[in-house]
Amino acid sequence: MKSIGLLSDTHGYLDPRVFEHFANCDEIWHAGDIGSVAIIDQLEAFKPVRIVFGNIDEKAIQVRSHENLHFELEGFRIWMTHIGGAPPRYNPMVMPTLKSELPDIFICGHSHILRVIRDKDLKNMLYINPGAAGREGFHKIRTLLRFNLHEGLISKMEVIELGKRGAIEAEIF
């Protein structure tokens, strides 16, 4: 069994509570728009990571990540990219691959909209977008996902809310 922590769209801000929420995870996956090489460094120092870059990510981030990441884990074929669209309107750039190499789980970010749904038109593929964990964008609540994968079964899918997008956390002295 693998426990996964999934986030996206940090845009240069990594909430310190990510480390608490992902403490028991085996891997952390970031679905793009990282915004800072320092975030990659922090995540890699914490847990094994799988990262794709997003449309705001500079070259230094791109060389340390992937545009598309295809892999198999715990009986699942997984594809993670940043700009994937959403059912039924996927990004036209991903449609040929979705049709020819259909994954069991398709993960993307970009929209800042938390969404976990099955696409019945694509053989019940699981579509996952963890929303946005950063402070920039139009989302109202910053979110993460945590779930388990085990021998072709996904379980314990949890949405973790980090608070309002523009909220400034008070420091306690």
Side-chain angles (χ1 to χ4, degrees):
M1 181 175 69
K2 293 285 184 182
S3 179
I4 308 301
L6 175 62
L7 72 164
S8 186
D9 295 276
T10 48
H11 288 263
Y13 173 71
L14 187 61
D15 190 304
R17 292 173 293 170
V18 165
F19 301 103
E20 296 168 30
H21 292 297
F22 291 170
N24 294 323
C25 292
D26 299 301
E27 295 185 9
I28 297 174
W29 301 350
H30 196 305
D33 277 1
I34 300 144
S36 168
V37 171
I39 289 176
I40 296 174
D41 292 339
Q42 290 173 326
L43 294 175
E44 287 179 341
F46 181 60
K47 299 279 181 177
V49 296
R50 298 179 196 253
I51 300 174
V52 296
F53 62 81
N55 54 298
I56 67 131
D57 291 322
E58 60 189 25
K59 190 70 172 169
I61 292 170
Q62 292 177 17
V63 298
R64 293 188 53 192
S65 56
H66 306 272
E67 182 174 10
N68 292 285
L69 195 55
H70 298 266
F71 58 99
E72 292 188 18
L73 184 67
E74 287 291 329
F76 289 97
R77 291 180 320 274
I78 300 163
W79 178 13
M80 187 165 60
T81 193
H82 183 61
I83 303 176
R89 291 177 294 281
Y90 294 98
N91 178 339
M93 300 298 289
V94 306
M95 278 309 293
T97 305
L98 276 177
K99 289 181 177 179
S100 66
E101 301 172 39
L102 184 67
D104 301 304
I105 301 173
F106 181 58
I107 298 169
C108 62
H110 187 63
S111 72
H112 293 220
I113 299 170
L114 171 68
R115 192 177 298 170
V116 179
I117 57 174
R118 294 266 178 201
D119 188 334
K120 293 179 178 139
D121 293 334
L122 291 176
K123 298 183 180 179
N124 223 25
M125 176 190 74
L126 184 61
Y127 170 88
I128 302 176
N129 186 321
R135 290 180 169 163
E136 294 184 25
F138 61 88
H139 58 287
K140 293 182 180 179
I141 302 294
R142 296 178 294 121
T143 56
L144 312 168
L145 289 175
R146 187 172 52 204
F147 55 91
N148 292 337
L149 301 176
H150 182 64
E151 296 178 357
L153 297 173
I154 189 165
S155 63
K156 295 188 178 179
M157 177 75 69
E158 299 173 87
V159 174
I160 300 163
E161 293 185 355
L162 296 173
K164 292 183 179 180
R165 171 185 46 85
I168 298 172
E169 288 81 25
E171 291 186 34
I172 299 173
F173 295 95

